[in-house]
Amino acid sequence: MKKLNIPLLVTATILATALTGCVVAPVGVRPLYVAPAGVVYVAPTYATPGYGYGWAYHNVYGWGWHHPSYGWHRGWR
């Protein structure tokens, strides 16, 4: 019959418990959607049109998808 190595089992259990479940968010990460002061946030009604688009506020047209290189989705300028 095999004998259990109790000190090794206790050490492995403590190590596994200490290294699991601890997730820390990086400092300085901004939320995805930021409403300017005095503006009511409106959630998107359809999925992002492509990679790189972000939900942003336009002073004239309101909320919409904006890409840094391609501009506003659906023709906003």
Side-chain angles (χ1 to χ4, degrees):
M1 202 159 138
K2 292 184 178 181
K3 290 185 179 180
L4 289 176
N5 189 350
I6 301 296
L8 180 61
L9 182 62
V10 170
T11 304
T13 304
I14 291 172
L15 185 62
T17 304
L19 296 177
T20 58
C22 183
V23 178
V24 178
V27 176
V29 175
R30 291 187 55 200
L32 293 176
Y33 310 121
V34 178
V39 175
V40 175
Y41 171 77
V42 177
T45 57
Y46 60 97
T48 179
Y51 179 77
Y53 280 88
W55 191 245
Y57 181 75
H58 189 280
N59 291 335
V60 176
Y61 300 109
W63 290 95
W65 292 107
H66 182 261
H67 191 278
S69 299
Y70 304 128
W72 292 93
H73 185 247
R74 294 188 176 169
W76 296 355
R77 303 282 178 214

